[in-house]
């Protein structure tokens, strides 16, 4: 394609950018860009491929291009479907000419050439090919060949569905692990991070593989926000950029279409919506992995022996034996999260959803009858408190027993000390304490020894960590406001002396720990 064609493509991109920055409508952007790319692809196909392949070759859009969800600078993913391997120089030259024309027109083309047999098989290390074909769309070429592919691919999915599901779940969990299982990074990757584009797409793929159809999301706003943010980042960088750093957040908040002009408020909305996407993919993976477990495997699962009269442990998840008991009082959820913290087993998403459905009622009950000091002492003395707190946060239960926690949820504070939102920062501190207790050797072993020696009072340290940043976002010296809030919590829970004084001292003086870390080498025993 000529330089004039490339100039026309650049002008189209600028027009799309101008319209998007006014409206923030990524759906219209997708529609317009896909239509423009379709035109360019078909022109290149007519000029380069049709003369060389009157039959035996079909052009198929896959991935985001197949879904008609093209972001401003996303690659154009194409499958060149061939009846037989392209071994002769003339065939290869025609394909090269086709690709060159697309690049000359300003498109980043990501193409693969495969036969039907190659396309309808699982390849080690290349799950992406199979997944991309879940979103395929015929563009041009040999219709008969494409029909054969569709029939063969359907048979392939039916035969290998369980293995594809298993690999997709494994790949998704591996990606989650790279981001330390948290959506709450202050500068997230909107494509790969938890709650980002990959999780939204994985939810759809899992539904399609498991049930044969994609369910429209109950709330379309998280997906719309995600699409808008990624489109903005692409236009801002004039390339495939997905890193929502502080500078990008500032510019995004100032954009004409943004409903939130404060970057911190904007990011709280991002985390709320990302949480919904993340919980969605967790639910789908849990359902897919359930199908993988046989009754015999469940019987042999040693964790099943943890089950009691209230909770069943199955497939490494906690289920309620009698969910109707949630209607009779507010004690069962307190025992549930103690069970989580004691045995390091997470509730099933089904269980968390049942808890969420009752949170409003329990919030009113706990306001009049808050959990007493005895419950906090027992709960915070258990080994896996951080897992329980994560689950309590996920289902909205933590603010029900600790209303002050709402101040921290999705709160962004840009300073030297925070890599995560304040609520995530707080839970990570508790995780770090649990990790420290497990140290068996090295310079930090002495801290593990101290934790062992002071186990009876460990709950006070954990409660202090849970409360230490409650004053963040107050606009003043947060440690003073944290102390005031902690005093109210101490009175509400009727924490006796000297425990109350110890707790309040730790909250008031927690900044001294930061000063110590900056002025002492804690790995030096002296």
């Amino acid at each position: 394609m000529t330089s004039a064609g490339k100039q026309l493509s650049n002008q189209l991109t600028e027009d799309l950018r101008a319209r998007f920055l006014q409206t923030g409508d990524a759906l219209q952007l997708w529609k317009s860009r896909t239509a423009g790319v379709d035109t360019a692809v078909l022109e290149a196909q007519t000029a380069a491929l049709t003369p060389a392949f009157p039959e035996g070759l079909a052009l198929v859009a896959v991935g985001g291009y197949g879904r008609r969800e093209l972001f401003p600078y996303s690659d154009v993913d194409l499958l060149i479907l061939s009846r037989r391997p392209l071994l002769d120089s003339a065939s290869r030259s025609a394909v090269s000419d086709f690709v060159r024309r697309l690049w000359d027109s300003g498109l980043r083309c990501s193409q693969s050439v495969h036969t039907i047999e190659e396309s309808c098989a699982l390849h080690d290390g290349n799950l992406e090919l199979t997944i991309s074909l879940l979103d395929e769309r015929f563009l041009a070429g040999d219709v008969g060949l494409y029909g054969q592919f569709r029939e063969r691919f359907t048979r392939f999915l039916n035969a290998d569905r369980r293995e594809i599901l298993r690999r997709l779940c494994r790949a998704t969990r591996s990606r989650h692990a790279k981001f330390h299982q948290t959506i709450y990074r202050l500068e997230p990757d909107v494509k790969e991070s938890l709650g980002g584009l990959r999780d939204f797409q994985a939810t759809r793929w899992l539904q399609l593989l498991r049930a044969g159809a994609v369910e429209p999301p109950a709330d379309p706003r998280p997906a719309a926000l995600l699409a808008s943010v990624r489109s903005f980042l692409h236009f801002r960088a004039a390339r495939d950029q997905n890193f929502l750093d502080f500078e990008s957040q500032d510019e995004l908040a100032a954009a004409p279409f943004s409903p939130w002009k404060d970057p911190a408020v904007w990011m709280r909305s991002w985390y709320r919506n990302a949480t919904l996407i993340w919980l969605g993919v967790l639910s789908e993976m849990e359902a897919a992995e359930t199908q993988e477990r046989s009754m015999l495997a469940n019987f042999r699962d040693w964790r099943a022996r943890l089950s009691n009269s209230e909770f069943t442990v199955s497939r490494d998840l906690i289920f309620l034996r009698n969910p109707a008991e949630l209607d009779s009082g507010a004690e069962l959820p307190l025992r549930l999260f103690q069970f989580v913290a004691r045995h390091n087993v997470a509730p099933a998403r089904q269980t968390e959803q049942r808890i969420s459905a009752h949170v409003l009622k329990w919030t009113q009950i706990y306001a009049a009858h808050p959990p007493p000091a005895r419950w906090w002492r027992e709960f915070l003395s258990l080994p896996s408190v951080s897992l329980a707190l994560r689950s309590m946060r996920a289902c909205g239960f933590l603010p029900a027993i600790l209303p002050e926690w709402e101040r921290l949820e999705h709160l962004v504070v840009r300073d030297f000390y925070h890599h995560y939102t304040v609520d995530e920062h707080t839970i990570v501190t508790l995780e770090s304490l649990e990790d420290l207790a497990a140290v068996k050797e090295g310079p930090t072993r002495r801290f593990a020894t101290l934790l062992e020696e002071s186990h009876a009072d460990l709950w006070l340290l954990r409660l202090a960590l849970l409360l230490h940043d409650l004053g963040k976002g107050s606009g003043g010296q947060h440690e003073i406001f944290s102390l005031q809030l902690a005093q109210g919590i101490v009175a509400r829970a009727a924490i006796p002396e000297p425990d109350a004084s110890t707790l309040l001292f730790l909250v008031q003086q927690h900044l001294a720990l930061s000063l110590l870390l900056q002025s002492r080498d804690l790995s030096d025993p002296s």
Side-chain angles (χ1 to χ4, degrees):
M1 194 168 287
T2 64
S3 59
K6 188 169 185 177
Q7 185 176 0
L8 185 63
S9 175
N10 292 339
Q11 183 59 51
L12 174 62
T13 300
E14 283 303 308
D15 291 344
L16 293 175
R17 179 180 183 276
R19 288 202 298 270
F20 170 79
L21 290 179
Q22 291 301 317
T23 65
D25 185 354
L27 303 183
Q28 183 58 46
L29 169 66
W30 285 346
K31 181 179 178 180
S32 299
R33 183 164 190 244
T34 300
V37 171
D38 279 353
T39 298
V41 168
L42 293 177
E43 286 179 357
Q45 187 265 348
T46 299
L49 295 180
T50 301
F53 300 98
E55 62 177 5
L57 199 78
L59 203 56
V60 183
V62 298
Y65 183 32
R67 294 189 302 272
R68 294 185 172 88
E69 295 178 359
L70 274 180
F71 287 91
Y73 289 90
S74 290
D75 288 357
V76 176
D77 295 324
L78 289 166
L79 168 64
I80 301 174
L81 187 65
S82 175
R83 189 179 303 280
R84 59 186 60 86
L86 302 183
L87 301 177
D88 60 287
S89 59
S91 297
R92 293 183 174 183
S93 177
V95 171
S96 296
D97 183 32
F98 167 73
V99 173
R100 179 185 57 78
R101 289 171 182 270
L102 292 180
W103 279 90
D104 286 348
S105 69
L107 299 180
R108 286 169 49 94
C109 181
S110 179
Q111 79 287 345
S112 61
V113 182
H114 292 290
T115 63
I116 291 178
E117 290 73 20
E118 292 168 340
S119 301
C120 299
L122 273 173
H123 302 280
D124 289 338
N126 192 16
L127 178 66
E128 291 79 5
L129 173 61
T130 299
I131 296 300
S132 71
L133 291 175
L134 296 176
D135 298 310
E136 57 82 16
R137 176 169 59 93
F138 177 71
L139 291 172
D142 191 329
V143 178
L145 178 66
Y146 172 74
Q148 294 172 23
F149 158 74
R150 281 298 316 154
E151 181 181 348
R152 178 73 175 273
F153 189 68
T154 300
R155 293 204 308 268
F156 160 62
L157 285 184
N158 290 336
D160 291 305
R161 188 179 308 274
R162 293 180 66 180
E163 178 61 17
I164 298 170
L165 276 168
R166 187 184 68 81
R167 293 190 186 192
L168 178 55
C169 287
R170 186 172 61 189
T172 302
R173 293 199 183 278
S174 176
R175 175 172 51 81
H176 286 178
K178 292 178 182 178
F179 291 93
H180 302 287
Q181 308 291 348
T182 179
I183 67 170
Y184 298 104
R185 291 184 174 274
L186 294 186
E187 298 179 296
D189 180 327
V190 303
K191 182 179 180 181
E192 300 292 341
S193 291
L194 281 70
L197 181 66
R198 281 284 181 252
D199 275 353
F200 180 73
Q201 293 169 338
T203 300
R204 295 167 52 172
W205 295 328
L206 289 165
Q207 289 174 349
L208 188 61
L209 287 165
R210 200 169 56 82
V214 175
E215 301 175 12
D219 185 350
R221 290 174 296 182
L225 180 69
L226 174 58
S228 182
V229 172
R230 190 179 186 219
S231 298
F232 176 86
L233 293 175
H234 277 212
F235 279 131
R236 177 179 179 271
R239 59 185 177 88
D240 186 0
Q241 159 69 292
N242 302 294
F243 188 52
L244 187 55
D245 58 18
F246 291 142
E247 188 176 338
S248 300
Q249 294 169 24
D250 293 340
E251 294 184 23
L252 185 56
F257 64 84
S258 174
W260 308 287
K261 299 307 177 184
D262 182 341
V265 174
W266 206 105
M267 288 305 295
R268 294 188 91 160
S269 177
W270 164 264
Y271 294 120
R272 282 194 297 270
N273 285 278
T275 297
L276 295 177
I277 293 174
W278 178 53
L279 294 177
V281 76
L282 290 182
S283 293
E284 285 300 322
M285 285 196 294
E286 187 175 302
E289 290 166 343
T290 296
Q291 297 177 348
E292 285 296 297
R293 300 293 189 99
S294 67
M295 291 182 64
L296 180 60
N298 289 334
F299 178 76
R300 290 176 175 172
D301 185 354
W302 70 269
R303 288 187 184 272
R305 290 177 288 173
L306 301 175
S307 300
N308 60 25
S309 61
E310 293 181 314
F311 312 119
T312 296
V313 179
S314 176
R315 303 184 303 276
D316 229 13
L317 298 168
I318 302 172
F319 296 84
L320 299 173
R321 282 192 181 273
N322 185 8
E325 291 182 8
L326 294 175
D327 296 320
S328 60
E331 295 298 317
L332 183 59
L334 296 176
R335 293 194 294 272
L336 168 66
F337 292 113
Q338 284 183 326
F339 189 90
V340 173
R342 180 174 291 110
H343 298 298
N344 193 34
V345 184
R349 277 295 301 144
Q350 175 191 106
T351 305
E352 290 184 340
Q353 289 165 354
R354 294 184 189 279
I355 297 294
S356 296
H358 291 75
V359 161
L360 181 59
K361 178 186 73 174
W362 290 331
T363 300
Q364 297 168 345
I365 293 174
Y366 294 133
H369 305 284
R374 171 177 43 80
W375 182 84
W376 286 107
R377 181 185 297 108
E378 182 178 350
F379 171 64
L380 293 173
S381 297
L382 295 170
S384 299
V385 167
S386 62
L387 177 63
L389 288 171
R390 286 195 180 282
S391 181
M392 292 163 81
R393 178 179 61 177
C395 60
F397 185 76
L398 188 51
I401 61 171
L402 189 66
E404 294 83 357
W405 181 262
E406 273 195 295
R407 298 178 45 81
L408 304 189
E409 286 191 332
H410 313 131
L411 178 61
V412 173
V413 174
R414 299 181 183 180
D415 62 21
F416 174 77
Y417 306 106
H418 290 82
H419 297 286
Y420 309 99
T421 57
V422 180
D423 54 338
E424 179 68 7
H425 163 88
T426 299
I427 294 179
V428 167
T429 61
L430 288 158
E431 284 180 333
S432 300
L433 195 63
E434 291 171 11
D435 292 341
L436 193 62
V439 173
K440 301 301 182 184
E441 56 186 17
T444 55
R445 171 58 190 162
R446 65 187 185 281
F447 294 113
T449 302
L450 283 172
L451 287 170
E452 291 173 5
E453 294 173 352
S454 58
H455 182 76
D457 295 321
L458 178 59
W459 75 281
L460 286 172
L461 177 58
R462 282 175 162 166
L463 186 54
L465 287 172
L466 191 61
L467 307 183
H468 80 284
D469 265 353
L470 288 179
K472 280 285 175 71
S474 61
Q477 292 179 290
H478 82 273
E479 69 276 16
I480 296 176
F481 194 30
S482 293
L483 175 63
Q484 294 170 353
L485 293 172
Q487 288 169 336
I489 294 166
V490 164
R492 192 167 68 228
I495 297 176
E497 293 290 355
D499 292 342
S501 295
T502 300
L503 172 66
L504 295 176
F505 171 80
L506 290 171
V507 172
Q508 183 179 20
Q509 299 296 329
H510 76 268
L511 289 182
L513 293 174
S514 298
L515 179 62
L516 179 65
L517 286 169
Q518 296 175 66
S519 58
R520 297 287 187 274
D521 181 2
L522 298 185
S523 64
D524 183 350
S526 64

